[in-house]
Amino acid sequence: MAAPGQPQLVFVDGSFAELAQEMAEYLNVSDDVKALLEKGDAQKDEVLKKIIMASTALNTMPEKEITASYNLLVYLVLHSDKPEALLPRVCENLLKPMPSSPTNGPGLALSALTNIFNMLKPDNTLRYSVFTTILQFLKQNAMFDVVKRYLPHLETWFKQWQTSAEDQRKLYVQIADTAAESGDEEAASEYTIKALNTFDESGAKSEAAQQLSLRAVKASISSPTQFDFQSLRAIPAVQALSESHPVYSELLDIFAEKDLEDYTDFCEEHEGFIEKEGLDDDKLTRKMRLLTFASLAASISSREIPYQAIAKALNIPQEQVEIWTIDVIRAGLVEGRLSQQKQLFLVHKTTYRVFGEKQWRELGDRLDLWKGVFTTVIATLRREQANADAQRKREQEDIERKIAGIGMGGVPTGGDRGNRRGERPPRKERTEDDD
């Protein structure tokens, strides 16, 4: 697919009647089409209907002719007064198998669908319909990665197509479905949340919003890579779960800010709920252990966590502490290093799961601690600097006294060697008697 604002051009030589007759002959409906063409342009749409009804045969044509044939067909359809009534049938044909090309068929079909999308002008609302067909094709062929790099253009396309909130939501849900089918849980969760954000406050408590909220919660807590739930909890439709589905709301709160012990209590209180809802308890327990580790690391002011404390918080044998520490570092929740000799985990950096009043107090306490440390360091440095200055002053004074002592008593005075000022007497000139 082309970037926004860059439609693909197709160069075709010939009038509509000539090209329509050529396509009709290719599809073996030339007699019917010829009769209609002889009646003039008024029968243009009837001509196209005849051709499109026979167009399923294009999937059986030789592989090298398929792309060119579909390009010509789409070119003809776009000359219709009502292309929106004809183009979906062409797209539907491309969702079907291509017997003549079992190996390259999916690639050819996707190429043809992409060409259709690009042949339409950027602001043509038919692009929405074509794009949904492309997503349907990618879902049934598990090819979500193909479209991922184009998804950042969606916001621009929605503005160009003047897409309603409801249609945006439908497309986001379809993208989430396609991602889930391909095993991309992160993208599935992302676009489910985007779909939820299309509901306004008046629609937040609707049945559709609540069902989508449940789906988002399930995807988020089950995702092995999503550990931040604050943006999800801020969505009005998700907040409304506290009234319509309070158990799910409670479960989301546990994953957002509580610990493994709270999750265990939840499972005991709502026995069988996890299994009934199709959730994987092993995955959820593992995720809660990682989140609990992050909370523990954030709460320790000394930045040193004994192995024993980790084992207790995660409810694991102490022998497994190092394995879980490596896992939580890989998850990006904590940074630090292990001290096997001291049986400690030294925390360098950690991620706060929530940042509320409690976290502000902890941060304030930590800042006060650092302030005290810095104050002590600064006082020590100033004291040492003063001592060093005093020492240098004493040494300078000692040097000056020694120099003064040499000047007064260390040079001979009087006699032929000099006067009292230490000056040398005038030199006697040499005469002949000296020889």
Side-chain angles (χ1 to χ4, degrees):
M1 285 174 281
Q6 296 180 350
Q8 178 173 310
L9 301 178
V10 176
F11 298 96
V12 182
D13 186 20
S15 65
F16 174 83
E18 292 171 341
L19 295 171
Q21 186 63 45
E22 179 183 340
M23 177 59 75
E25 292 174 357
Y26 190 67
L27 296 172
N28 296 320
V29 290
S30 59
D31 293 338
D32 294 339
V33 168
K34 184 177 180 181
L36 292 170
L37 287 172
E38 289 174 351
K39 296 180 181 180
D41 291 344
Q43 299 297 316
K44 182 184 293 185
D45 283 356
E46 292 300 319
V47 168
L48 289 172
K49 288 179 182 178
K50 288 286 185 181
I51 291 175
I52 288 174
M53 288 178 64
S55 65
T56 53
L58 291 179
N59 289 14
T60 64
M61 297 300 178
E63 183 178 302
K64 62 182 181 180
E65 299 177 9
I66 292 175
T67 299
S69 300
Y70 268 107
N71 284 346
L72 177 56
L73 179 60
V74 173
Y75 176 81
L76 292 171
V77 169
L78 294 181
H79 280 73
S80 168
D81 294 332
K82 297 180 179 179
E84 65 277 5
L86 303 173
L87 197 57
R89 178 66 179 272
V90 178
C91 293
E92 288 176 9
N93 289 345
L94 291 165
L95 293 175
K96 300 173 182 177
M98 294 186 174
S100 62
S101 181
T103 302
N104 299 320
L108 291 171
L110 180 59
S111 176
L113 286 169
T114 302
N115 287 343
I116 294 172
F117 183 89
N118 291 335
M119 287 168 67
L120 297 168
K121 292 182 178 180
D123 59 351
N124 192 324
T125 55
L126 280 174
R127 274 192 161 194
Y128 177 93
S129 176
V130 176
F131 191 69
T132 60
T133 305
I134 291 174
L135 288 173
Q136 186 177 348
F137 176 86
L138 296 175
K139 180 181 178 182
Q140 69 186 32
N141 288 279
M143 298 171 64
F144 177 67
D145 286 345
V146 173
V147 78
K148 284 181 72 172
R149 63 192 179 102
Y150 298 105
L151 296 181
H153 299 312
L154 279 177
E155 298 297 328
T156 300
W157 289 343
F158 287 154
K159 291 178 182 178
Q160 292 173 336
W161 307 336
Q162 298 181 345
T163 310
S164 67
E166 182 179 358
D167 285 339
Q168 288 182 34
R169 180 163 57 252
K170 289 179 180 178
L171 192 59
Y172 282 139
V173 170
Q174 190 176 5
I175 293 171
D177 290 341
T178 306
E181 190 70 22
S182 296
D184 193 333
E185 295 180 354
E186 185 174 355
S189 177
E190 176 187 353
Y191 283 93
T192 301
I193 292 174
K194 285 181 178 289
L196 275 173
N197 281 319
T198 62
F199 286 104
D200 55 21
E201 291 187 7
S202 61
K205 296 184 180 181
S206 66
E207 181 64 21
Q210 291 303 283
Q211 290 302 315
L212 198 57
S213 296
L214 288 177
R215 175 176 170 174
V217 171
K218 289 180 181 180
S220 296
I221 64 177
S222 299
S223 170
T225 58
Q226 183 174 345
F227 298 100
D228 182 6
F229 303 93
Q230 299 312 307
S231 59
L232 179 61
R233 296 171 80 197
I235 299 173
V238 175
Q239 293 175 351
L241 287 176
S242 60
E243 300 177 10
S244 61
H245 298 82
V247 179
Y248 263 109
S249 181
E250 180 184 354
L251 183 59
L252 178 60
D253 289 342
I254 290 172
F255 275 83
E257 59 186 49
K258 297 184 181 180
D259 296 333
L260 178 64
E261 184 178 355
D262 298 296
Y263 175 72
T264 303
D265 292 343
F266 171 90
C267 292
E268 292 176 356
E269 182 180 352
H270 304 282
E271 186 176 357
F273 176 82
I274 298 296
E275 293 76 11
K276 178 184 175 182
E277 294 299 312
L279 298 169
D280 189 326
D281 181 59
D282 290 339
K283 286 184 177 180
L284 299 186
T285 301
R286 171 181 171 77
K287 189 167 183 174
M288 278 307 307
R289 282 196 170 107
L290 296 175
L291 292 168
T292 300
F293 198 132
S295 295
L296 179 63
S299 65
I300 300 296
S301 59
S302 66
R303 317 302 282 176
E304 294 182 352
I305 313 177
Y307 280 20
Q308 186 177 3
I310 297 173
K312 181 179 179 181
L314 273 59
N315 192 23
I316 58 172
Q318 191 162 322
E319 295 76 19
Q320 296 182 9
V321 165
E322 294 181 1
I323 296 175
W324 281 97
T325 302
I326 293 171
D327 287 345
V328 79
I329 291 174
R330 285 176 176 171
L333 294 171
V334 175
E335 292 181 13
R337 64 183 179 86
L338 290 163
S339 174
Q340 292 179 324
Q341 183 179 5
K342 296 180 179 180
Q343 294 285 285
L344 293 173
F345 176 63
L346 309 177
V347 181
H348 295 166
K349 181 181 178 182
T350 187
T351 302
Y352 280 100
R353 293 166 61 193
V354 292
F355 210 91
E357 183 179 350
K358 177 182 177 182
Q359 287 70 36
W360 280 114
R361 286 199 302 268
E362 290 177 356
L363 180 59
D365 293 341
R366 193 164 295 170
L367 288 174
D368 289 340
L369 176 63
W370 291 342
K371 182 180 178 180
V373 171
F374 290 147
T375 300
T376 302
V377 171
I378 291 172
T380 301
L381 290 174
R382 286 176 176 171
R383 184 170 59 253
E384 293 300 321
Q385 181 66 44
N387 292 338
D389 291 343
Q391 180 64 25
R392 281 197 299 269
K393 184 176 180 181
R394 287 194 296 270
E395 292 175 353
Q396 184 66 29
E397 290 174 350
D398 289 343
I399 292 173
E400 290 176 354
R401 283 196 297 271
K402 291 178 180 178
I403 292 174
I406 292 173
M408 294 180 62
V411 178
T413 58
D416 294 337
R417 297 298 297 175
N419 56 21
R420 294 184 63 182
R421 293 181 182 179
E423 296 177 351
R424 180 173 295 188
R427 183 176 180 181
K428 182 180 179 181
E429 294 186 1
R430 184 180 179 87
T431 63
E432 294 181 356
D433 293 337
D434 293 332
D435 294 334

